[in-house]
Amino acid sequence: MKRIALLLAVVVLVSMPLMAQEATMSEEVGKTYTVIKGDTLWDISGVFLKDPFKWPAIWEKNPKVKDPHWIYPGDVLIILPSGEIRKKVIEEAAPSPAPVEKVTEVQPTQEKKEEVKEPTKEEAPAIVPVAEEALPAAIPVQTKQTLRYPGIERVGFISTDGESSIGKIVDAKEDKLMLSTGDDVYIDTGEEKGVKKGDKFTIYRTAAPVYHPISKMLVGHQVDILGAVLVTAPHDKVSEGQILESFDAISRGDSLKMVEPVPAEIEIKKGGVPLDALIIANKKGTVEMAEGDIVFLDKGRRAGVEAGNTLMVYLSGRLKDKLMLPSEDVGRLLVLSTQEDTSMALVIGTKKPFRIGDKVRMEN
């Protein structure tokens, strides 16, 4: 079974199987399309909607596709009603007075939890490596694009100097081991520290330590964002609250910090400074990275990294028959957020597997 990843890139990636079929599908574009080996929703949207960023429109019209990261040869997809296709063609034909800002909305990658029927040997698609030219290309200078990534507030980050906690969840009104949305809790901070009714705090947990892959020195700790709590009744030294949302199981003892604003949209931009960084952690904890994974880097704002920068993962040149081979680009990242000395990035393209410790450079 092949994992069909949604590549979040900044230009159109069109798969060869789709290109081969497009000419024979002109009468069927507004009806259905049968998935073949190598297809992704990203590619299908790029061919039939002329914009890969519109893949959610296809997913929305195909409720039988439970997880957009998993489609299989033989799946029959509804593309768009013919009327919508005609309307889109008319709109695209009309002159535009000025460049239109493109806003992209993608779904965060989630690991597949339900059991999936294994395809037969004849059905199982072969793993097709992505050609070097298929890596998403750099963004054209004249194009302004923004990215909306739902769930960015729950991804977490690397804390290098310890988080400044304003309190903890000390108890709950119900006798429950694990807490979640709607549960009433008590927190160990109150009016004497300025807490007032209506305040909202982020619930977090300091997780695994992160060590630099080269120096082996401690970089910091991964911080897992668990949810948010609303203060409903502050008292002198404690407050009552209610869990507004939970992204993971919440426990007594989990820490609180001030809610930090998260931008609704990230402007994709070229890097303004050279960068030589390393991948130091993978949020999923796997050895190798894949499209849609969240990774952490050992450089941040201090080094000039900004949210929206695109970065290239590369392997250094190696010696072969007394000749030094050139370095090889193996993947592309998009920076989602930055800390002072670390960054969080989304894997948007891979040519071959890469790992913690691999090098990253800025795309200028």
Side-chain angles (χ1 to χ4, degrees), residues 57-114:
I58 298 178
W59 184 35
E60 180 182 4
K61 295 181 183 298
N62 291 273
K64 65 182 179 181
V65 180
K66 303 300 182 184
D67 187 333
H69 302 90
W70 298 80
I71 58 175
Y72 303 94
D75 287 349
V76 178
L77 302 178
I78 298 171
I79 305 301
L80 277 179
S82 299
E84 293 187 37
I85 291 288
R86 287 196 295 272
K87 180 180 178 183
K88 181 177 185 299
V89 171
I90 292 172
E91 290 174 347
E92 289 182 347
S96 177
V100 178
E101 178 178 327
K102 175 182 283 185
V103 178
T104 304
E105 180 164 351
V106 299
Q107 298 296 327
T109 298
Q110 296 180 356
E111 293 191 33
K112 191 168 186 66
K113 298 183 182 299
E114 66 268 25

Side-chain angles (χ1 to χ4, degrees), residues 102-306:
K102 175 182 283 185
V103 178
T104 304
E105 180 164 351
V106 299
Q107 298 296 327
T109 298
Q110 296 180 356
E111 293 191 33
K112 191 168 186 66
K113 298 183 182 299
E114 66 268 25
E115 182 178 353
V116 179
K117 180 181 178 182
E118 292 285 341
T120 63
K121 184 176 180 181
E122 292 73 23
E123 295 174 332
I127 297 177
V128 182
V130 179
E132 182 172 0
E133 58 272 20
L135 282 173
I139 305 160
V141 174
Q142 71 276 14
T143 302
K144 179 181 179 181
Q145 292 180 306
T146 59
L147 167 72
R148 182 181 296 120
Y149 188 83
I152 189 174
E153 72 280 357
R154 68 187 68 178
V155 174
F157 55 93
I158 301 294
S159 173
T160 57
D161 53 5
E163 278 304 291
S164 179
S165 171
I166 62 172
K168 295 183 179 181
I169 295 176
V170 293
D171 205 355
K173 292 187 178 181
E174 292 188 52
D175 187 18
K176 297 171 62 176
L177 184 61
M178 296 287 102
L179 307 173
S180 60
T181 303
D183 285 341
D184 294 313
V185 297
Y186 296 100
I187 60 179
D188 65 350
T189 186
E191 292 176 327
E192 70 173 13
K193 293 187 178 179
V195 175
K196 58 186 181 298
K197 183 177 181 179
D199 282 349
K200 183 179 177 181
F201 301 120
T202 295
I203 307 170
Y204 73 93
R205 184 181 302 149
T206 301
V210 176
Y211 295 93
H212 196 277
I214 303 300
S215 69
K216 308 303 180 184
M217 299 291 290
L218 178 68
V219 176
H221 288 78
Q222 188 168 323
V223 173
D224 293 337
I225 306 299
L226 307 178
V229 62
L230 176 72
V231 175
T232 56
H235 303 285
D236 186 25
K237 296 182 181 297
V238 299
S239 297
E240 300 175 49
Q242 184 178 74
I243 297 177
L244 289 179
E245 51 188 351
S246 56
F247 312 135
D248 203 342
I250 297 170
S251 304
R252 294 165 178 81
D254 284 335
S255 301
L256 306 176
K257 69 186 189 76
M258 298 298 296
V259 172
E260 297 177 2
V262 177
E265 298 169 5
I266 299 172
E267 181 183 347
I268 301 172
K269 64 188 74 172
K270 287 182 173 292
V273 297
L275 179 71
D276 187 15
L278 296 178
I279 297 174
I280 58 174
N282 177 7
K283 183 171 176 60
K284 289 198 322 187
T286 55
V287 174
E288 295 183 343
M289 320 297 174
E291 290 91 348
D293 283 355
I294 296 292
V295 300
F296 299 97
L297 312 176
D298 66 348
K299 296 291 175 62
R301 290 191 294 265
R302 193 193 305 271
V305 183
E306 297 181 81

Side-chain angles (χ1 to χ4, degrees), residues 12-26 33-34 36-39 43-44 46-48 50:
V12 176
L13 286 177
V14 180
S15 69
M16 292 305 293
L18 280 170
M19 289 293 289
Q21 291 196 23
E22 184 180 11
T24 64
M25 293 281 294
S26 59
Y33 171 74
T34 302
I36 64 175
K37 184 186 299 184
D39 283 346
D43 296 327
I44 294 170
V47 171
F48 295 119
K50 308 305 180 187

Side-chain angles (χ1 to χ4, degrees), residues 310-351:
T310 55
L311 312 173
M312 185 65 74
V313 185
Y314 68 97
L315 303 179
S316 298
R318 55 191 177 86
L319 193 63
K320 178 71 173 180
D321 297 332
K322 297 183 179 181
L323 295 174
M324 179 59 70
L325 302 182
S327 62
E328 180 183 10
D329 293 336
V330 295
R332 181 171 274 109
L333 310 177
L334 177 66
V335 178
L336 296 182
S337 68
T338 60
Q339 301 293 313
E340 191 66 16
D341 293 304
T342 60
S343 302
M344 176 186 72
L346 175 71
V347 179
I348 61 174
T350 59
K351 173 186 160 185

